[in-house]
Amino acid sequence: MGTPVPSSLRHASARPQADGSAMTEITTTEKPVQHGSTTRLIDIVFPGDTNHHGTLFGGTGLALMDRVAFIAATRFGRAPFVTASCERIDFKQPARVGNIVEFTAIPVKAGRRSLTVEVEMAAETIVGHQRHICTRGIFNMVAIPEGEHAQSYALPDLVAADVPDTKDAVAMVEIVFPDQANSVGRMFGGEAIAYMTKAAFVAASRYAGKLVVLASSERIDFARAIEIGEIVEAQARVERIGRTSMSIETKLWSENLLTGERHVTATGHFTMVAVDKDHRPIPVRDNGSADVVCDSQGRA
């Protein structure tokens, strides 16, 4: 299944790695994220993240809300940020084991160096597409600029961004931390593949409304290294549907927090299979139809 070469393809070269080998580098860039745009962090609730009732720890939810607020703020101001405060947060409904949790952050008010970010946490069931809002919160972030222009630094004007259509595709962000990197400060390939697989899982389960499992993946080539502190964004879409399986294309972008420069780091194709409660394959669609080919936006 071929993948078209993006129009933004710039060049290809071989770059030496820490172990002396060479990796083909294909630099594919994209313009920085628009001021005021929506940032989404998506995760899955596992048993180790829950209390004895099987619901997500409130502290874990707050930590993820703060993380996505930080990413949204840094994307907006392209400077280091710290959390100054968060206003009262009430949890209306819990997120349970097995739920997909989505954290959405939008900058809503900008001062000279302070930024107000509104964060919403929602949970959804894998089977049945039942979705509810768990909580909303306001995070007040402050820019701490560095360098020779620190004194004159000011946040840009807030610009209303277009709301992306996420019905048929998944876009989720995360930050690379030191425990995800090797001895030279680059993200482990296995960590990157795991993140891409998670995005494929979310895209497939949302499309089918059923539990899915990974059956196989095609070859994945890494075009460039991802450094500690960079943002990784996985974009996944359903590209082909069989009777019980789906092919999911996942692109992994890396983004410099301070400059906004973005590169496609890897592209993978994952085969996900819909299964029942006994883990036996079942039709993706209730009518059993197959071989539906999606367009470039993931629509069937």
Side-chain angles (χ1 to χ4, degrees):
M1 202 174 299
T3 301
V5 177
S7 60
S8 55
L9 186 66
R10 298 294 180 82
H11 68 271
S13 62
R15 183 174 59 165
Q17 299 303 293
D19 61 1
S21 62
M23 176 174 65
T24 301
E25 180 178 356
I26 303 176
T27 304
T28 307
T29 60
E30 187 180 73
K31 64 182 180 180
V33 175
Q34 184 180 2
H35 293 155
S37 62
T38 302
T39 297
R40 286 183 168 83
L41 187 156
I42 301 176
D43 211 335
I44 301 164
V45 181
F46 293 106
D49 302 319
T50 65
N51 56 28
H52 59 291
H53 298 295
T55 61
L56 182 70
F57 283 118
T60 301
L62 287 172
L64 291 170
M65 292 175 73
D66 180 62
R67 185 181 300 179
V68 75
F70 168 80
I71 296 173
T74 308
R75 278 180 154 181
F76 179 86
R78 296 303 173 187
F81 273 81
V82 295
T83 305
S85 65
C86 65
E87 299 180 11
R88 180 186 174 99
I89 297 177
D90 293 314
F91 286 89
K92 302 184 183 338
Q93 293 191 58
R96 302 187 180 279
V97 171
N99 283 175
I100 296 170
V101 283
E102 182 173 25
F103 300 84
T104 305
I106 305 175
V108 294
K109 183 180 179 181
R112 184 171 180 270
R113 295 193 179 186
S114 62
L115 183 68
T116 301
V117 181
E118 183 178 68
V119 180
E120 178 183 276
M121 172 183 168
E124 60 186 90
T125 61
I126 292 174
V127 179
H129 291 304
Q130 296 179 355
R131 181 182 174 94
H132 61 265
I133 304 301
C134 297
T135 188
R136 291 186 178 93
I138 296 294
F139 289 76
N140 299 304
M141 316 297 291
V142 176
I144 311 294
E146 301 173 345
E148 57 181 325
H149 301 295
Q151 292 296 325
S152 60
Y153 174 86
L155 290 173
D157 293 333
L158 192 63
V159 177
D162 295 333
V163 178
D165 181 8
T166 58
K167 179 181 178 182
D168 300 309
V170 169
M172 45 193 267
V173 300
E174 189 51 279
I175 298 178
V176 180
F177 291 102
D179 63 350
Q180 298 172 297
N182 59 24
S183 59
V184 294
R186 294 173 174 176
M187 187 179 192
F188 284 119
E191 293 277 356
I193 294 172
Y195 193 65
M196 294 171 71
T197 306
K198 183 184 291 187
F201 171 84
V202 173
S205 61
R206 280 181 169 177
Y207 185 91
K210 299 169 183 176
L211 181 64
V212 299
V213 295
L214 176 66
S216 65
S217 67
E218 295 182 13
R219 170 176 171 149
I220 299 174
D221 290 315
F222 290 94
R224 69 185 302 273
I226 305 173
E227 309 290 340
I228 291 175
E230 287 191 324
I231 295 171
V232 285
E233 180 172 11
Q235 299 174 348
R237 68 177 184 89
V238 179
E239 61 178 359
R240 188 176 180 85
I241 303 98
R243 193 180 73 85
T244 63
S245 64
M246 293 163 280
S247 177
I248 314 296
E249 180 192 62
T250 304
K251 286 186 178 181
L252 186 68
W253 290 83
S254 58
E255 178 181 332
N256 186 290
L257 270 174
L258 300 183
T259 67
E261 184 180 10
R262 288 164 58 87
H263 301 269
V264 171
T265 296
T267 300
H269 299 268
F270 301 88
T271 300
M272 314 296 291
V273 175
V275 296
D276 61 16
K277 62 181 181 179
D278 297 317
H279 300 283
R280 293 175 299 191
I282 57 175
V284 172
R285 294 188 166 188
D286 293 333
N287 60 10
S289 62
D291 295 324
V292 179
V293 179
C294 298
D295 64 17
S296 59
Q297 280 73 45
R299 291 187 289 270

